[in-house]
Every structure is written in structure tokens, then in C-alpha cells.
Amino acid sequence: AMGPPFARLVCAMAAMSLCASPVTADHVLVLTQQSFDQRTSKGRWLLNFHAPWCGHCKRLAPEYEKVAEHFHGKDTAAGVKVAKIDATEEKELAERFHIAGFPSI
């Protein structure tokens, strides 16, 4: 039977997933208006403002993922954090950085 210890484990795992920054399987962070300033305040970042419907963005994605894989786990002094921002959802960030076309890196 799955009693209280199992229930506590499931609750703990759910809480951790809510607190973690979303990361795709390929180590590209997904940034939002809410997470952007806090996450990008330190270190060097390579940011990709994209649109889900953009053909150029879709073709760039595998190369961008290779860059993220290359830098994943490297010393922060030598590394670059790689993230993407859906500019169709995060319109305030797109306006803040004067994004006029996709992809914008």
C-alpha cells in the first residue's frame, strides 16, 4: 500500500518542479518576464527571442541546443548560460529589448 511516506515524496517532487526553472531536455533554459531579471543578473547569457511559428527559429533550434549542451555544467567563469524567450508570450521582454524580428539573439 502507498501510505503517507509515498504521498510526502510525491508532494516534495511536485514542489521541487514548481520551484525549478524550466529547462528543456537539451539544457536550454526557458525564461519568462517573472524569471528574467533574477536569472540573468549574474554571468554571461546567450538569449534567443523566438516565436513558435517562426520557420527560421525552428531551423536554428538544433544548433542553439548544441551550444547549450557545450556550455552545460562548465565553470561559470568560462561558461555561458543559454536561454530562450518566447517573444509572442513575453511581449514586455520583447519590447524592452526592441525585438523586431525572429529569431533575435
Side-chain angles (χ1 to χ4, degrees):
M2 292 185 214
F6 179 75
R8 283 193 298 269
L9 175 62
V10 171
C11 289
M13 290 172 63
M16 288 187 326
S17 70
L18 290 174
C19 294
S21 291
V23 178
T24 59
D26 49 26
H27 308 297
V28 176
L29 285 137
V30 177
L31 297 177
T32 65
Q33 178 70 34
Q34 292 75 29
S35 65
F36 186 85
D37 288 328
Q38 180 184 16
R39 295 300 309 233
T40 61
S41 65
K42 294 183 181 174
R44 291 180 281 177
W45 288 81
L46 181 65
L47 304 173
N48 177 8
F49 286 86
H50 70 97
W53 46 259
C54 169
H56 295 299
C57 300
K58 291 176 184 179
R59 285 190 293 281
L60 175 66
E63 299 306 314
Y64 200 68
E65 292 164 6
K66 288 178 189 174
V67 172
E69 181 66 30
H70 173 78
F71 285 111
H72 180 70
K74 301 251 182 189
D75 176 9
T76 55
V80 173
K81 295 174 187 151
V82 179
K84 62 184 179 180
I85 299 114
D86 180 346
T88 66
E89 292 290 325
E90 306 302 331
K91 293 179 179 159
E92 288 181 33
L93 283 175
E95 289 175 12
R96 177 174 160 189
F97 291 99
H98 309 286
I99 303 303
F102 307 113
S104 289
I105 298 176

